[in-house]
Amino acid sequence: MSLASGHKAVEMEGEELAEQTRLFPGYQHGMVRLSPGGWVFPSPYKNFADKIYNFKYRPSDVMVMTYPKCGTTWTQELVWTMRNNPDLNHPLADLSLMARSPFQDMDMLLGDLAEVTNDNNPLYEVFRLQCPGKDPADGLMLQLSEAIPDPRTIKSHLPFSLHNPALLDTAKVIYVARNPKDVIISYHHHSRLIKVHCFRGELEDFVKYFVDDDLVYSPYWLHVKEAWEKRHHPNLHFVFFEDLKADVMGELKKLNAFLDTKLTDAQLTNVAKHASFMEMKKRKAFAGEGEAEMGFFNSEVVKKDGGFFRKGESGDWKGKLTPEQEAMVNKWTAEKMTSFGINFTYSV
Ligand code: A3P
C-alpha cells in the first residue's frame, strides 16, 4: 500500500510476524514495515498515516516529538505548563496530559476500540466533549489533537519523514533524544506495562529487537538523525533528556527563549517543580486519575516493577544490561548513532 508520505507499507508475514506476535501479543491486528526507512508499526497505522501526514498545523502549535521513552511526557508537561499555567492556577491543570496534550498517532496502538469507547474511560469522555458528532473510529486521539483549544501542544512519536512537510515551517517542534541504553530499559518496562504492547519476552530479546530496528517506532537512530539534521531550523529545538536531568532550569531558560513565553525566573521555578518526577507521579499526570481502571496498564507489572513513572533517572541501565548486551548496544551506537555526529555526553 502506498502512503501520502511516499512510503510503501508492507505487511509482515510468515516467521517474522509470528515472532513479533509471540513476543508482543498486544499487536493483534498485524504489523507493517515502511519502505524506505524500515519504520515498524502495528498495521492499523495504515488507517491513520495519510490523515497524520496531511494534518493542518497552525503557527501557535508546538509539537513534542520523540522516539518512545525519551522524556516526551515530562517535556509535554513542561511546555504545556509554560504556555498555560506558569502561575499554577489553571483550573484544568490536573486533567490527564493525554487530554491536554494529545498523542496524535496513538490510535494505531489502541487495539480494540470497544475497550476504549466506554463510559468509564475519562479520555473518551473528553473526546465526546471536544469532538461532538465525530466518530472515534476515524481517530480518537488524532481528532482530539485537532480539536483541543489553541495554543495546541501535540505529542508524536512519529519521525519527521512521516509528518506533513510543512510542519516545521509552520509550527514549533521540540525534539527530545535520550541515551539509547536508558531508552531500552525504559521501553522494555513500558512494553510490559502497557497492555497494547504486552511484551512477553526477556530483556535479551528486547535488546536484540532494538538494535535490529524491529521495535514499534524503530529505527531509533534514523528517528534521531532526521531531527538532528534539521537542528539549525529556527522552529526546531533539540533537547537531551540527560540535559533536562542535569540542569532543568538551564533547559527551561532555553525553552523560554524558543517558545517566546517570557516567563520570569519565579515562574520557571514553578514550572520545574510542577513537572518534577515526584509531582507528576503524585498527580498521575500521564493518564490522569484511574489510569489502571482505564485498562491500559498491566496491574501485575505495576505492583512488581512500578507504573508509568518508573525511575526518571539517567544511567539506570547500569547494572540492568549484561556486559554482552552493553557491548551489543555500544557496537550499534558506534555504527549507527555516532556516524552522524551525535554525542550522548551521558551515555557512558
Ligand atoms: P524511566 O522508565 O527511565 O523512568 P516518555 O514520556 O517518552 O514515555 O518517557 C518516559 C520516561 O521518562 C520514563 O523513564 C519516565 O519515568 C520518565 N519521566 C517521566 N516524567 C518525568 C519527569 N518529570 N522527570 C524525569 N523523568 C520523567
Side-chain angles (χ1 to χ4, degrees):
M1 177 181 178
S2 296
L3 304 177
S5 58
H7 295 77
K8 267 204 157 50
V10 181
E11 293 289 338
M12 275 187 204
E13 291 175 338
E15 267 182 34
E16 190 184 19
L17 179 65
E19 185 63 1
Q20 274 273 0
T21 40
R22 182 182 73 78
L23 288 175
F24 297 89
Y27 305 150
Q28 295 163 1
H29 304 284
M31 304 289 292
V32 288
R33 195 185 290 278
L34 303 198
S35 167
W39 307 107
V40 176
F41 300 115
S43 288
Y45 170 69
K46 294 181 303 183
N47 306 337
F48 305 105
D50 290 357
K51 288 183 195 156
I52 294 172
Y53 189 77
N54 292 317
F55 193 95
K56 298 269 179 302
Y57 293 96
R58 303 173 192 148
S60 57
D61 290 339
V62 172
M63 173 176 283
V64 178
M65 184 190 289
T66 73
Y67 183 88
K69 311 317 291 175
C70 289
T72 335
T73 313
W74 185 13
T75 311
Q76 280 170 278
E77 189 64 289
L78 289 170
V79 171
W80 191 89
T81 308
M82 286 177 81
R83 301 214 299 159
N84 300 280
N85 189 27
D87 297 317
L88 305 186
N89 54 7
H90 195 294
L92 297 181
D94 281 349
L95 195 66
S96 151
L97 247 182
M98 297 261 224
R100 289 180 283 127
S101 169
F103 176 7
Q104 191 191 46
D105 37 295
M106 185 181 172
D107 296 297
M108 66 170 160
L109 292 164
L110 284 180
D112 186 356
L113 202 59
E115 284 173 17
V116 182
T117 52
N118 64 63
D119 290 343
N120 296 328
N121 184 339
L123 206 55
Y124 182 50
E125 195 181 318
V126 172
F127 174 81
R128 284 187 300 181
L129 276 174
Q130 303 237 6
C131 308
K134 296 274 172 80
D135 182 353
D138 294 332
L140 189 139
M141 293 304 277
L142 179 58
Q143 294 179 95
L144 196 54
S145 308
E146 280 162 358
I148 53 167
D150 286 330
R152 303 183 300 187
T153 303
I154 298 169
K155 154 184 172 174
S156 176
H157 284 320
L158 293 178
F160 266 109
S161 54
L162 301 178
H163 280 292
N164 191 328
L167 164 63
L168 200 51
D169 288 330
T170 311
K172 290 186 171 158
V173 178
I174 298 166
Y175 189 92
V176 193
R178 187 180 188 188
N179 171 359
K181 289 175 189 150
D182 280 330
V183 172
I184 290 173
I185 296 298
S186 186
Y187 202 4
H188 173 249
H189 172 72
H190 182 91
S191 301
R192 292 170 61 241
L193 174 72
I194 309 279
K195 285 190 194 162
V196 293
H197 304 281
C198 196
F199 180 67
R200 290 273 166 79
E202 301 297 324
L203 179 60
E204 179 80 28
D205 301 310
F206 201 86
V207 174
K208 197 164 174 329
Y209 260 57
F210 183 86
V211 296
D212 287 346
D213 302 332
D214 283 335
L215 294 177
V216 165
Y217 289 107
S218 281
Y220 177 71
W221 64 272
L222 187 55
H223 205 295
V224 179
K225 182 173 191 263
E226 287 187 2
W228 186 247
E229 284 172 352
K230 297 184 193 319
R231 69 192 181 283
H232 300 304
H233 192 293
N235 274 355
L236 178 62
H237 185 69
F238 202 102
V239 184
F240 289 94
F241 179 94
E242 290 75 12
D243 288 338
L244 278 171
K245 281 299 299 181
D247 179 13
V248 71
M249 281 303 281
E251 292 299 313
L252 283 184
K253 283 178 187 165
K254 291 185 208 164
L255 275 172
N256 201 21
F258 175 68
L259 296 170
D260 199 22
T261 30
K262 301 186 175 61
L263 303 187
T264 62
D265 281 0
Q267 287 174 315
L268 292 179
T269 304
N270 284 345
V271 172
K273 276 196 191 144
H274 188 71
S276 70
F277 182 79
M278 287 319 287
E279 288 295 316
M280 288 184 69
K281 182 172 174 150
K282 215 163 52 190
R283 286 200 304 280
K284 296 184 172 164
F286 170 66
E289 282 303 322
E291 58 193 18
E293 301 92 86
M294 280 169 71
F296 286 147
F297 290 31
N298 180 328
S299 49
E300 290 305 307
V301 176
V302 176
K303 261 186 247 149
K304 194 162 162 271
D305 299 312
F308 182 85
F309 295 94
R310 190 188 65 90
K311 195 102 182 209
E313 296 293 341
S314 321
D316 187 51
W317 64 268
K318 289 173 195 165
K320 292 206 163 65
L321 295 179
T322 64
E324 292 75 25
Q325 291 162 357
E326 190 187 335
M328 205 193 295
V329 185
N330 284 345
K331 183 166 172 281
W332 172 91
T333 303
E335 279 168 16
K336 311 275 194 182
M337 298 299 293
T338 44
S339 64
F340 56 92
I342 202 151
N343 178 14
F344 284 98
T345 318
Y346 303 95
S347 71
V348 286

